[in-house]
Coordinates of all heavy atoms in Angstrom, one line a residue:
Q48 N 11.8 -20.4 4.9 CA 12.5 -19.3 4.1 C 11.8 -18.0 4.4 O 10.6 -17.9 4.5 CB 12.4 -19.6 2.6 CG 13.7 -20.0 2.0 CD 13.6 -20.2 0.5 OE1 12.6 -20.2 -0.1 NE2 14.8 -20.4 -0.1
V49 N 12.6 -16.9 4.4 CA 12.1 -15.6 4.6 C 12.4 -14.7 3.4 O 13.5 -14.8 2.9 CB 12.7 -14.9 5.9 CG1 12.2 -13.5 6.0 CG2 12.4 -15.8 7.1
A50 N 11.4 -14.0 3.0 CA 11.5 -13.1 1.8 C 11.1 -11.7 2.2 O 10.1 -11.6 3.0 CB 10.8 -13.6 0.6
Q51 N 11.8 -10.7 1.8 CA 11.4 -9.3 2.1 C 11.4 -8.5 0.8 O 12.4 -8.7 0.0 CB 12.3 -8.7 3.1 CG 12.0 -7.3 3.5 CD 12.9 -6.7 4.5 OE1 13.6 -7.4 5.2 NE2 12.9 -5.4 4.6
L52 N 10.4 -7.7 0.6 CA 10.4 -6.9 -0.6 C 10.1 -5.5 -0.2 O 9.1 -5.2 0.6 CB 9.3 -7.4 -1.6 CG 9.1 -6.6 -2.8 CD1 10.3 -6.7 -3.7 CD2 7.8 -7.0 -3.5
T53 N 10.9 -4.5 -0.6 CA 10.6 -3.1 -0.4 C 10.4 -2.5 -1.7 O 11.2 -2.7 -2.7 CB 11.8 -2.5 0.3 OG1 12.1 -3.2 1.5 CG2 11.6 -1.0 0.6
V54 N 9.4 -1.7 -1.9 CA 9.1 -1.1 -3.1 C 9.0 0.4 -2.9 O 8.3 0.9 -2.0 CB 7.7 -1.6 -3.7 CG1 7.3 -0.8 -5.0 CG2 7.8 -3.1 -4.0
L55 N 9.7 1.2 -3.7 CA 9.6 2.6 -3.8 C 9.1 2.9 -5.2 O 9.8 2.7 -6.2 CB 10.9 3.3 -3.5 CG 11.6 2.9 -2.2 CD1 13.0 3.5 -2.1 CD2 10.7 3.4 -1.0
A56 N 7.9 3.4 -5.4 CA 7.4 3.7 -6.7 C 6.7 5.0 -6.8 O 6.0 5.4 -5.9 CB 6.3 2.6 -7.0
A57 N 7.1 5.7 -7.8 CA 6.5 7.1 -8.1 C 5.1 6.9 -8.6 O 4.2 7.7 -8.3 CB 7.4 7.8 -9.0
A58 N 4.9 5.9 -9.4 CA 3.6 5.6 -10.0 C 2.6 5.0 -8.9 O 3.1 4.5 -7.9 CB 3.7 4.7 -11.1
E59 N 1.4 5.1 -9.1 CA 0.4 4.7 -8.1 C 0.1 3.2 -8.3 O -1.1 2.8 -8.3 CB -0.8 5.5 -8.1 CG -0.6 7.0 -7.8 CD -1.8 7.8 -7.9 OE1 -2.9 7.3 -8.0 OE2 -1.7 9.0 -7.9
S60 N 1.0 2.4 -8.4 CA 0.8 0.9 -8.6 C 0.9 0.3 -7.2 O 1.7 0.8 -6.3 CB 1.9 0.3 -9.5 OG 1.7 0.8 -10.8
K61 N 0.2 -0.7 -6.9 CA 0.2 -1.4 -5.6 C 0.5 -2.9 -5.7 O -0.1 -3.5 -6.6 CB -1.2 -1.1 -4.9 CG -1.5 0.3 -4.7 CD -2.8 0.5 -4.0 CE -3.1 2.0 -3.9 NZ -4.4 2.2 -3.3
I62 N 1.4 -3.3 -4.8 CA 1.6 -4.7 -4.7 C 0.4 -5.4 -4.1 O -0.1 -5.0 -3.1 CB 2.8 -5.0 -3.9 CG1 4.1 -4.5 -4.6 CG2 3.0 -6.5 -3.6 CD1 5.3 -4.6 -3.7
S63 N -0.1 -6.4 -4.8 CA -1.3 -7.1 -4.3 C -0.9 -8.4 -3.6 O -1.6 -8.9 -2.7 CB -2.3 -7.4 -5.4 OG -1.8 -8.2 -6.4
N64 N 0.3 -8.9 -3.9 CA 0.8 -10.1 -3.3 C 2.2 -10.4 -3.6 O 2.7 -10.0 -4.7 CB -0.1 -11.4 -3.8 CG 0.1 -12.6 -2.9 OD1 0.6 -12.5 -1.8 ND2 -0.4 -13.7 -3.4
F65 N 2.9 -10.9 -2.6 CA 4.3 -11.4 -2.8 C 4.4 -12.7 -2.0 O 4.1 -12.8 -0.8 CB 5.3 -10.4 -2.2 CG 6.7 -10.8 -2.4 CD1 7.4 -10.7 -3.6 CD2 7.5 -11.3 -1.3 CE1 8.7 -11.1 -3.8 CE2 8.8 -11.7 -1.5 CZ 9.4 -11.6 -2.7
Q66 N 4.8 -13.8 -2.7 CA 4.8 -15.1 -2.1 C 5.9 -15.9 -2.7 O 6.4 -15.7 -3.8 CB 3.5 -15.8 -2.2 CG 3.0 -16.0 -3.6 CD 1.7 -16.7 -3.7 OE1 1.1 -17.1 -2.7 NE2 1.1 -16.7 -4.9
M67 N 6.2 -17.0 -2.0 CA 7.2 -18.0 -2.5 C 6.3 -19.2 -3.0 O 5.5 -19.7 -2.3 CB 8.1 -18.5 -1.4 CG 9.0 -17.4 -0.8 SD 10.2 -16.7 -2.0 CE 11.4 -18.0 -2.1
V68 N 6.6 -19.6 -4.2 CA 5.8 -20.7 -4.8 C 6.9 -21.7 -5.3 O 7.7 -21.4 -6.2 CB 4.9 -20.2 -6.0 CG1 4.3 -21.5 -6.7 CG2 3.9 -19.2 -5.5
S69 N 7.0 -22.8 -4.7 CA 8.0 -23.9 -5.1 C 9.4 -23.3 -5.1 O 10.2 -23.4 -6.0 CB 7.7 -24.5 -6.4 OG 6.4 -25.1 -6.4
N70 N 9.7 -22.5 -4.0 CA 11.0 -21.9 -3.8 C 11.3 -20.8 -4.8 O 12.5 -20.4 -5.0 CB 12.2 -22.9 -3.9 CG 12.7 -23.3 -2.5 OD1 12.2 -22.7 -1.5 ND2 13.6 -24.2 -2.4
Q71 N 10.3 -20.3 -5.5 CA 10.5 -19.2 -6.4 C 9.6 -18.0 -5.9 O 8.4 -18.2 -5.7 CB 10.1 -19.6 -7.8 CG 10.3 -18.4 -8.8 CD 9.9 -18.8 -10.2 OE1 9.2 -19.8 -10.5 NE2 10.4 -18.1 -11.2
P72 N 10.2 -16.8 -5.8 CA 9.4 -15.6 -5.4 C 8.5 -15.2 -6.6 O 8.9 -15.3 -7.8 CB 10.4 -14.6 -5.1 CG 11.7 -15.0 -5.7 CD 11.6 -16.5 -5.9
V73 N 7.3 -14.9 -6.3 CA 6.3 -14.4 -7.3 C 5.7 -13.1 -6.8 O 5.2 -13.0 -5.6 CB 5.2 -15.5 -7.5 CG1 4.2 -15.0 -8.5 CG2 5.8 -16.8 -8.0
L74 N 5.7 -12.1 -7.6 CA 5.2 -10.8 -7.3 C 3.9 -10.6 -8.1 O 3.9 -10.8 -9.3 CB 6.2 -9.7 -7.7 CG 5.8 -8.3 -7.6 CD1 5.5 -7.9 -6.2 CD2 6.9 -7.4 -8.2
S75 N 2.9 -10.1 -7.4 CA 1.7 -9.7 -8.1 C 1.5 -8.2 -7.8 O 1.5 -7.8 -6.7 CB 0.5 -10.5 -7.6 OG 0.6 -11.8 -7.8
I76 N 1.2 -7.4 -8.9 CA 1.1 -6.0 -8.7 C -0.1 -5.5 -9.5 O -0.3 -6.0 -10.7 CB 2.4 -5.3 -9.1 CG1 2.3 -3.8 -8.9 CG2 2.8 -5.5 -10.6 CD1 3.6 -3.0 -8.9
L77 N -0.9 -4.6 -9.0 CA -2.0 -4.0 -9.7 C -1.4 -3.0 -10.6 O -0.8 -2.0 -10.2 CB -3.0 -3.4 -8.7 CG -4.2 -2.8 -9.3 CD1 -5.0 -3.8 -10.1 CD2 -5.1 -2.2 -8.2
S78 N -1.6 -3.2 -11.9 CA -1.0 -2.3 -12.9 C -1.9 -1.2 -13.2 O -3.1 -1.2 -13.0 CB -0.7 -3.1 -14.2 OG -1.8 -3.5 -14.8
R79 N -1.3 -0.2 -13.8 CA -2.1 0.9 -14.4 C -2.0 0.9 -15.9 O -0.9 0.6 -16.4 CB -1.5 2.3 -13.8 CG -1.8 2.4 -12.3 CD -1.4 3.7 -11.8 NE -2.2 4.8 -12.5 CZ -1.8 6.1 -12.5 NH1 -0.6 6.4 -11.9 NH2 -2.5 7.0 -13.1
T80 N -3.1 1.2 -16.5 CA -3.1 1.2 -18.0 C -2.0 2.0 -18.6 O -1.8 3.1 -18.2 CB -4.5 1.7 -18.4 OG1 -5.5 0.9 -17.8 CG2 -4.7 1.5 -19.9
R81 N -1.4 1.4 -19.6 CA -0.4 2.0 -20.5 C 0.9 2.3 -19.8 O 1.8 2.9 -20.4 CB -0.9 3.2 -21.2 CG -2.1 2.9 -22.2 CD -2.5 4.2 -22.9 NE -2.9 5.2 -22.0 CZ -4.2 5.6 -21.9 NH1 -5.1 5.2 -22.6 NH2 -4.5 6.6 -21.0
L82 N 1.1 2.0 -18.5 CA 2.4 2.1 -17.9 C 3.3 0.9 -18.3 O 2.8 -0.2 -18.4 CB 2.3 2.3 -16.4 CG 1.8 3.6 -15.9 CD1 1.7 3.6 -14.4 CD2 2.6 4.8 -16.4
T83 N 4.6 1.1 -18.4 CA 5.5 0.0 -18.6 C 6.2 -0.4 -17.3 O 6.7 0.5 -16.6 CB 6.6 0.4 -19.6 OG1 5.9 0.7 -20.9 CG2 7.6 -0.7 -19.9
Y84 N 6.2 -1.7 -17.0 CA 6.8 -2.2 -15.8 C 8.0 -3.1 -16.1 O 7.9 -4.1 -16.8 CB 5.8 -3.1 -15.0 CG 4.6 -2.3 -14.6 CD1 3.6 -1.9 -15.4 CD2 4.5 -1.9 -13.2 CE1 2.5 -1.2 -15.0 CE2 3.4 -1.1 -12.8 CZ 2.4 -0.8 -13.7 OH 1.3 -0.1 -13.3
I85 N 9.2 -2.6 -15.8 CA 10.4 -3.4 -16.0 C 11.0 -3.9 -14.7 O 11.3 -3.1 -13.8 CB 11.5 -2.5 -16.7 CG1 10.9 -2.0 -18.1 CG2 12.8 -3.3 -16.9 CD1 11.8 -1.0 -18.8
T86 N 11.0 -5.2 -14.6 CA 11.5 -5.8 -13.4 C 12.9 -6.3 -13.6 O 13.3 -6.9 -14.6 CB 10.6 -7.0 -13.0 OG1 9.3 -6.6 -13.0 CG2 11.0 -7.6 -11.6
E87 N 13.8 -6.0 -12.6 CA 15.2 -6.4 -12.7 C 15.7 -7.0 -11.4 O 15.1 -6.9 -10.4 CB 16.1 -5.1 -13.0 CG 15.7 -4.5 -14.3 CD 16.4 -3.1 -14.5 OE1 16.5 -2.3 -13.6 OE2 16.8 -2.9 -15.7
F88 N 16.9 -7.8 -11.5 CA 17.4 -8.6 -10.5 C 18.9 -8.4 -10.4 O 19.6 -8.2 -11.4 CB 17.1 -10.0 -10.7 CG 18.0 -11.0 -10.0 CD1 17.7 -11.4 -8.7 CD2 19.1 -11.6 -10.6 CE1 18.4 -12.3 -8.1 CE2 19.9 -12.5 -10.0 CZ 19.6 -12.8 -8.7
T89 N 19.4 -8.4 -9.1 CA 20.9 -8.4 -8.9 C 21.2 -9.2 -7.7 O 20.3 -9.3 -6.8 CB 21.5 -7.0 -8.8 OG1 23.0 -7.2 -8.8 CG2 21.1 -6.3 -7.6
A90 N 22.3 -9.8 -7.6 CA 22.7 -10.6 -6.4 C 23.5 -9.8 -5.4 O 23.7 -10.2 -4.3 CB 23.5 -11.8 -6.8
S91 N 23.9 -8.5 -5.8 CA 24.7 -7.7 -4.9 C 24.4 -6.2 -5.1 O 24.3 -5.8 -6.3 CB 26.2 -7.9 -5.2 OG 27.0 -7.0 -4.5
L92 N 24.2 -5.5 -4.0 CA 24.0 -4.1 -4.1 C 25.4 -3.3 -4.1 O 25.4 -2.1 -4.3 CB 23.1 -3.6 -3.0 CG 21.7 -4.0 -3.1 CD1 20.9 -3.5 -1.9 CD2 21.1 -3.6 -4.4
G93 N 26.5 -4.0 -3.8 CA 27.8 -3.4 -3.7 C 28.2 -2.9 -5.0 O 28.7 -1.8 -5.2
A94 N 28.1 -3.7 -6.0 CA 28.4 -3.3 -7.4 C 27.3 -3.9 -8.3 O 27.5 -4.9 -9.0 CB 29.8 -3.8 -7.8
P95 N 26.1 -3.3 -8.2 CA 25.0 -4.0 -8.9 C 25.1 -4.1 -10.4 O 25.5 -3.1 -11.1 CB 23.8 -3.2 -8.5 CG 24.4 -1.8 -8.2 CD 25.8 -2.1 -7.6
A96 N 24.9 -5.2 -10.9 CA 24.7 -5.4 -12.3 C 23.3 -5.9 -12.5 O 23.0 -7.1 -12.3 CB 25.7 -6.5 -12.9
W97 N 22.3 -5.0 -12.7 CA 20.9 -5.4 -12.8 C 20.6 -6.1 -14.1 O 21.0 -5.7 -15.2 CB 20.1 -4.1 -12.8 CG 20.1 -3.4 -11.4 CD1 20.9 -2.4 -11.1 CD2 19.4 -3.8 -10.2 NE1 20.7 -2.1 -9.8 CE2 19.8 -2.9 -9.2 CE3 18.5 -4.8 -9.9 CZ2 19.3 -3.0 -7.9 CZ3 18.0 -4.9 -8.6 CH2 18.4 -4.0 -7.7
L98 N 20.0 -7.3 -13.9 CA 19.7 -8.2 -15.1 C 18.2 -8.1 -15.3 O 17.4 -8.1 -14.3 CB 20.1 -9.6 -14.8 CG 21.6 -9.8 -14.4 CD1 21.8 -11.2 -14.0 CD2 22.4 -9.5 -15.6
P99 N 17.7 -8.0 -16.5 CA 16.3 -8.0 -16.8 C 15.6 -9.3 -16.4 O 16.1 -10.4 -16.7 CB 16.2 -7.7 -18.3 CG 17.5 -8.2 -18.9 CD 18.5 -8.0 -17.7
V100 N 14.4 -9.1 -15.9 CA 13.6 -10.3 -15.5 C 12.4 -10.3 -16.5 O 12.1 -11.3 -17.1 CB 13.1 -10.2 -14.1 CG1 12.1 -11.3 -13.8 CG2 14.3 -10.3 -13.1
S101 N 11.7 -9.2 -16.5 CA 10.5 -9.1 -17.4 C 10.2 -7.6 -17.7 O 10.6 -6.7 -17.0 CB 9.3 -9.8 -16.8 OG 8.9 -9.1 -15.7
T102 N 9.5 -7.5 -18.8 CA 8.9 -6.2 -19.2 C 7.5 -6.4 -19.5 O 7.1 -7.3 -20.3 CB 9.6 -5.6 -20.4 OG1 11.0 -5.4 -20.1 CG2 9.0 -4.2 -20.8
N103 N 6.6 -5.6 -18.8 CA 5.2 -5.8 -19.0 C 4.5 -4.4 -19.2 O 5.0 -3.4 -18.7 CB 4.6 -6.4 -17.7 CG 5.1 -7.8 -17.5 OD1 4.8 -8.8 -18.1 ND2 6.1 -7.9 -16.5
T104 N 3.4 -4.4 -20.0 CA 2.6 -3.2 -20.1 C 1.4 -3.3 -19.3 O 0.7 -4.4 -19.4 CB 2.3 -3.0 -21.6 OG1 3.5 -2.9 -22.4 CG2 1.5 -1.7 -21.8
G105 N 1.1 -2.3 -18.5 CA 0.0 -2.4 -17.6 C -1.4 -2.3 -18.4 O -1.5 -1.6 -19.4
S106 N -2.3 -3.0 -17.9 CA -3.7 -3.0 -18.5 C -4.8 -2.7 -17.5 O -5.9 -2.7 -17.9 CB -3.9 -4.5 -19.0 OG -4.0 -5.4 -17.9
G107 N -4.4 -2.4 -16.3 CA -5.3 -2.1 -15.2 C -5.6 -3.4 -14.5 O -6.3 -3.4 -13.4
A108 N -5.1 -4.5 -14.9 CA -5.3 -5.8 -14.3 C -4.1 -6.1 -13.4 O -3.1 -5.4 -13.4 CB -5.5 -6.9 -15.3
I109 N -4.1 -7.2 -12.7 CA -3.0 -7.6 -11.9 C -2.0 -8.3 -12.7 O -2.3 -9.2 -13.5 CB -3.5 -8.6 -10.7 CG1 -4.3 -7.8 -9.7 CG2 -2.3 -9.2 -10.0 CD1 -4.9 -8.6 -8.6
L110 N -0.7 -7.9 -12.6 CA 0.4 -8.6 -13.3 C 1.0 -9.6 -12.4 O 1.3 -9.2 -11.2 CB 1.5 -7.6 -13.7 CG 1.1 -6.5 -14.7 CD1 2.3 -5.5 -14.9 CD2 0.8 -7.1 -16.1
V111 N 1.2 -10.8 -12.8 CA 1.8 -11.8 -12.0 C 3.2 -12.1 -12.6 O 3.3 -12.5 -13.7 CB 1.0 -13.1 -12.0 CG1 1.7 -14.2 -11.2 CG2 -0.4 -12.9 -11.4
I112 N 4.2 -11.8 -11.8 CA 5.6 -11.8 -12.3 C 6.4 -12.8 -11.5 O 6.8 -12.5 -10.4 CB 6.2 -10.4 -12.2 CG1 5.3 -9.4 -13.0 CG2 7.7 -10.4 -12.8 CD1 5.7 -8.0 -12.7
P113 N 6.8 -14.0 -12.1 CA 7.7 -14.9 -11.4 C 9.1 -14.3 -11.4 O 9.5 -13.8 -12.4 CB 7.6 -16.1 -12.2 CG 6.5 -16.0 -13.2 CD 6.3 -14.5 -13.3
L114 N 9.8 -14.3 -10.3 CA 11.1 -13.7 -10.2 C 12.1 -14.8 -10.1 O 11.8 -15.9 -9.5 CB 11.2 -12.8 -8.9 CG 10.2 -11.7 -8.8 CD1 10.2 -11.0 -7.4 CD2 10.4 -10.7 -9.9
P115 N 13.3 -14.6 -10.6 CA 14.3 -15.7 -10.5 C 14.7 -15.9 -9.1 O 14.9 -15.0 -8.3 CB 15.5 -15.2 -11.4 CG 15.3 -13.7 -11.4 CD 13.8 -13.4 -11.3
G116 N 14.8 -17.2 -8.7 CA 15.2 -17.5 -7.4 C 16.7 -17.2 -7.2 O 17.4 -17.3 -8.2
P117 N 17.1 -16.9 -6.0 CA 18.5 -16.5 -5.9 C 19.4 -17.7 -6.0 O 19.2 -18.8 -5.5 CB 18.6 -15.9 -4.4 CG 17.4 -16.5 -3.8 CD 16.3 -16.7 -4.8
A118 N 20.5 -17.5 -6.7 CA 21.6 -18.5 -6.8 C 22.5 -18.4 -5.7 O 23.3 -19.3 -5.4 CB 22.3 -18.4 -8.1
S119 N 22.5 -17.3 -5.0 CA 23.3 -17.1 -3.8 C 22.4 -16.8 -2.6 O 21.2 -16.9 -2.7 CB 24.3 -15.9 -4.0 OG 23.5 -14.7 -4.3
A120 N 23.0 -16.4 -1.5 CA 22.2 -16.1 -0.3 C 21.4 -14.9 -0.4 O 20.4 -14.7 0.4 CB 23.2 -16.0 0.9
A121 N 21.7 -14.0 -1.3 CA 21.0 -12.7 -1.4 C 20.4 -12.5 -2.8 O 21.0 -12.9 -3.8 CB 21.9 -11.5 -1.0
A122 N 19.3 -11.9 -2.8 CA 18.7 -11.5 -4.1 C 18.0 -10.2 -3.9 O 17.3 -10.0 -2.9 CB 17.7 -12.6 -4.6
F123 N 18.2 -9.3 -4.9 CA 17.6 -7.9 -4.8 C 16.8 -7.7 -6.1 O 17.3 -8.1 -7.2 CB 18.6 -6.9 -4.6 CG 19.4 -7.1 -3.4 CD1 20.6 -7.8 -3.4 CD2 19.0 -6.6 -2.2 CE1 21.4 -8.0 -2.3 CE2 19.8 -6.8 -1.0 CZ 20.9 -7.5 -1.1
Y124 N 15.6 -7.1 -6.0 CA 14.8 -6.9 -7.2 C 14.4 -5.4 -7.2 O 14.2 -4.8 -6.1 CB 13.5 -7.8 -7.1 CG 13.8 -9.2 -7.0 CD1 13.9 -9.8 -5.7 CD2 14.0 -10.0 -8.1 CE1 14.1 -11.2 -5.6 CE2 14.3 -11.3 -8.0 CZ 14.4 -11.9 -6.8 OH 14.6 -13.3 -6.7
R125 N 14.2 -4.9 -8.4 CA 13.7 -3.5 -8.5 C 12.7 -3.5 -9.7 O 12.8 -4.3 -10.6 CB 14.7 -2.5 -8.6 CG 15.5 -2.5 -10.0 CD 16.5 -1.4 -10.0 NE 17.2 -1.4 -11.3 CZ 18.2 -0.6 -11.6 NH1 18.6 0.2 -10.7 NH2 18.7 -0.6 -12.8
M126 N 11.8 -2.6 -9.6 CA 10.9 -2.4 -10.7 C 10.9 -1.0 -11.1 O 10.7 -0.1 -10.3 CB 9.5 -2.9 -10.3 CG 8.4 -2.7 -11.5 SD 6.8 -3.4 -11.0 CE 7.1 -5.1 -11.1
R127 N 11.2 -0.7 -12.4 CA 11.1 0.6 -12.9 C 9.7 0.7 -13.6 O 9.4 -0.1 -14.4 CB 12.2 0.9 -13.9 CG 13.6 0.8 -13.2 CD 14.8 1.2 -14.0 NE 15.0 0.2 -15.1 CZ 15.2 0.5 -16.4 NH1 15.2 1.7 -16.8 NH2 15.4 -0.5 -17.2
I128 N 9.0 1.8 -13.3 CA 7.7 2.0 -13.9 C 7.7 3.4 -14.5 O 8.1 4.4 -14.0 CB 6.6 2.0 -12.7 CG1 6.7 0.7 -12.0 CG2 5.2 2.2 -13.3 CD1 5.9 0.7 -10.7
F129 N 7.3 3.4 -15.8 CA 7.2 4.7 -16.5 C 6.1 4.6 -17.6 O 5.6 3.6 -17.9 CB 8.5 5.1 -17.1 CG 9.1 4.1 -18.0 CD1 8.9 4.1 -19.4 CD2 10.0 3.1 -17.5 CE1 9.5 3.2 -20.2 CE2 10.5 2.1 -18.4 CZ 10.3 2.2 -19.7

């Protein structure tokens, strides 16, 4: 299986790892204190209906975020940081 993740972030957060664990994508990101990280998922970019995956508050530690596995051939994820 091949997974690709592209991140465009205004905040200075850094992805520390992205891997597949038991057919489930898992994202690890170095968080910044007091920032809010909202992760969302959609199966199509044509008419995206972004579904919430998780909301986390940064502590300066690494956040480990399991992402839902795709029910279809494509899965798109985004993270809003503020």
Side-chain angles (χ1 to χ4, degrees):
Q48 249 183 352
V49 176
Q51 179 179 344
L52 177 69
T53 303
V54 175
L55 304 173
E59 296 176 16
S60 298
K61 296 180 182 175
I62 293 175
S63 61
N64 195 12
F65 180 77
Q66 61 184 345
M67 297 297 284
V68 177
S69 299
N70 259 356
Q71 180 178 22
V73 177
L74 172 67
S75 299
I76 185 167
L77 181 57
S78 69
R79 291 187 60 201
T80 304
R81 294 184 302 246
L82 288 180
T83 300
Y84 296 79
I85 299 174
T86 307
E87 298 172 320
F88 159 83
T89 187
S91 170
L92 292 178
W97 292 99
L98 303 173
V100 172
S101 68
T102 300
N103 300 283
T104 300
S106 64
I109 293 176
L110 296 174
V111 177
I112 304 168
L114 303 171
S119 62
F123 302 91
Y124 303 93
R125 72 179 180 185
M126 181 175 286
R127 296 184 294 132
I128 304 169
F129 56 94

